[in-house]
Amino acid sequence: MRIRIVILNISLLPVIVCAQNGIVIDGQFDDWSAISSAVIDSADDVHDTDGYPEGGSPSYVEYSDVDIIEVKFTNDAENLYGYIKATGEIGRTSSDTLGHEKKGRYYFIFTIDVDDNDTTGYQLKDGGYYPDSRGYDMNMEVEFYNGGFNTGHYINHEFTSEEEAQTQGLVDLENGIVNLAPGSYDYYTQWVTFEDSSYVVVEDRGPVYQGIITIAVSEDGHEAEIKAPMWGFLNTPDGDRIIDVGQYIDISASLEGSGELSESAANAGYTPGSHSVWGSDTAEPFHYFVTGNPMSISENMSQPTQLTLNPNYPNPFNSATTISYYLPHIETISLKIYDITGREVITLVNAKQTAGTHHTSWNSQDKFGQILSSGIYITVLEGKKLKKIQPMIFVK
Ligand SMILES: [Ca+2]
Ligand SMILES: [Ca+2]
Ligand SMILES: [Ca+2]
């Protein structure tokens, strides 16, 4: 048995600056070869997620599937990308196909201190994670359940009671915002966001939802790559993205699995209900700068050099559509919708915004909250020097 003793000091966290893109979520990993490791983790240091004695470190369990050995992380203007290599099979769970009711769960987790502030969010040990660290606000996470993929979701931990999570938390979610505040591991909102900016609140073991978070696992199960668009973390009450280029975040990666596949449980003669040997391995946290200056040639070639308004999606649409646009530098812009007669219907954005790709959603209502009639509408993006227009079709 080997247990690592890790004394964390935030000021000593390695700063990982990666400027990379061109990561494709395809279960092939040559696209990660240029990214340096954020963490090289010890093998065979998996611990019992359920037991975290006061003042101590949790006990060891044998569970190779959750044993992290390497973590990488990178971003481009729109997305965060994570990579984990494990000793065993990432995402392996049991299923109930034999009628044994061993529907296993497995979590692939990047926990993030999004405001680089230890006083907001929760403490990792409260979730049974080790090594411990403070100030974690949000997760980008994938749940595997019952033999397969279940959800790719975001989690917000800024709540101190279930009631708070279920009232303020859901109101915030409805408004697309996250209020960063002290929180506890036990209370959170958890949601899957879709391409059209709609979302669904999920719980563990829920039905399968394919949202904007994607993951691919290698054929042998030892490696996996995840992509989570930054806009899925939602916005601050001021309307800024929670995570955006130009800021520091702290990141901790974890793998966690329910007990029926652990070697310890098997050795203990696991039968459903008799043992629950949840195991997890948490990589040491690292400090990460979300770069706004991607260096890759492919990214530079693909990035527009001027204000760009992308086609909305979906189009035609019948309730809401997502409009995205790109700003080459910080700029005050307006984004407005006009009807076919040239009447201004609504102003969606009128603000100074950072460089990069921005998304906003339009729910087919005018500025008075009235649902409009079917027809052609025009999106107009206007910057200091350029104006871009894009027609779209609303069908009730
Ligand atoms: Ca890949
Ligand atoms: Ca490990
Ligand atoms: Ca925090």
Side-chain angles (χ1 to χ4, degrees), residues 43-350:
D44 301 325
D45 59 348
V46 172
H47 67 265
D48 179 354
T49 301
D50 297 316
Y52 208 127
E54 193 59 42
S57 52
S59 58
Y60 174 78
V61 293
E62 288 178 271
Y63 200 161
S64 58
D65 289 336
V66 299
D67 183 12
I68 293 174
I69 49 180
E70 187 180 10
V71 178
K72 294 182 176 187
F73 203 84
T74 189
N75 76 281
D76 58 24
E78 288 185 64
N79 306 295
L80 302 181
Y81 300 88
Y83 164 94
I84 299 179
K85 190 173 193 176
T87 306
E89 287 184 41
I90 293 171
R92 186 152 70 117
T93 75
S94 55
S95 73
D96 67 346
T97 52
L98 299 176
H100 292 163
E101 296 184 359
K102 292 183 185 176
K103 294 184 183 180
R105 278 186 279 164
Y106 187 104
Y107 294 99
F108 182 100
I109 306 166
F110 278 90
T111 307
I112 306 179
D113 179 357
V114 298
D115 56 353
D116 195 16
N117 178 350
D118 286 356
T119 67
T120 54
Y122 76 103
Q123 191 167 355
L124 288 183
K125 71 176 285 190
D126 294 338
Y129 300 110
Y130 182 82
D132 188 27
S133 186
R134 288 180 183 277
Y136 287 81
D137 308 289
M138 301 181 73
N139 298 12
M140 59 192 217
E141 180 172 319
V142 167
E143 183 188 40
F144 298 88
Y145 173 58
N146 193 19
F149 173 81
N150 189 33
T151 59
H153 49 263
Y154 296 88
I155 296 178
N156 171 22
H157 279 286
E158 318 297 320
F159 309 101
T160 54
S161 71
E162 186 63 26
E163 191 200 352
E164 198 181 7
Q166 293 304 316
T167 53
Q168 189 59 44
L170 296 182
V171 170
D172 287 351
L173 199 51
E174 185 68 33
N175 291 316
I177 66 171
V178 166
N179 257 307
L180 297 171
S184 160
Y185 174 81
D186 293 328
Y187 313 113
Y188 52 84
T189 52
Q190 178 171 305
W191 68 95
V192 173
T193 302
F194 301 93
E195 285 291 348
D196 64 0
S197 296
S198 62
Y199 70 93
V200 57
V201 175
V202 293
E203 295 181 354
D204 296 341
R205 293 170 283 192
V208 177
Y209 288 112
Q210 303 267 11
I212 57 175
I213 292 179
T214 49
I215 190 168
V217 182
S218 63
E219 210 163 316
D220 64 10
H222 298 326
E223 296 171 280
E225 54 189 343
I226 184 174
K227 177 174 92 170
M230 284 186 260
W231 68 270
F233 286 88
L234 309 179
N235 299 315
T236 69
D238 291 336
D240 299 323
R241 274 198 203 170
I242 289 285
I243 294 180
D244 210 344
V245 295
Q247 72 186 80
Y248 281 98
I249 55 180
D250 285 341
I251 303 170
S252 172
S254 296
L255 298 178
E256 184 177 32
S258 57
E260 66 289 319
L261 294 174
S262 81
E263 294 88 342
S264 292
N267 293 341
Y270 175 86
T271 54
S274 68
H275 289 82
S276 175
V277 188
W278 274 79
S280 67
D281 188 12
T282 297
E284 284 182 55
F286 54 96
H287 209 197
Y288 181 83
F289 182 67
V290 184
T291 180
N293 183 28
M295 292 191 297
S296 149
I297 294 164
S298 61
E299 178 73 5
N300 286 341
M301 284 170 64
S302 65
Q303 260 188 1
T305 55
Q306 62 178 23
L307 190 72
T308 304
L309 176 62
N310 301 314
N312 60 301
Y313 178 85
N315 187 34
F317 63 100
N318 66 13
S319 59
T321 190
T322 297
I323 299 160
S324 71
Y325 52 95
Y326 177 83
L327 308 184
H329 48 73
I330 188 166
E331 186 171 1
T332 299
I333 58 98
S334 70
L335 183 70
K336 297 180 178 182
I337 308 292
Y338 291 83
D339 68 15
I340 198 72
T341 69
R343 183 181 66 97
E344 184 186 317
V345 169
I346 191 169
T347 299
L348 296 175
V349 180
N350 189 2

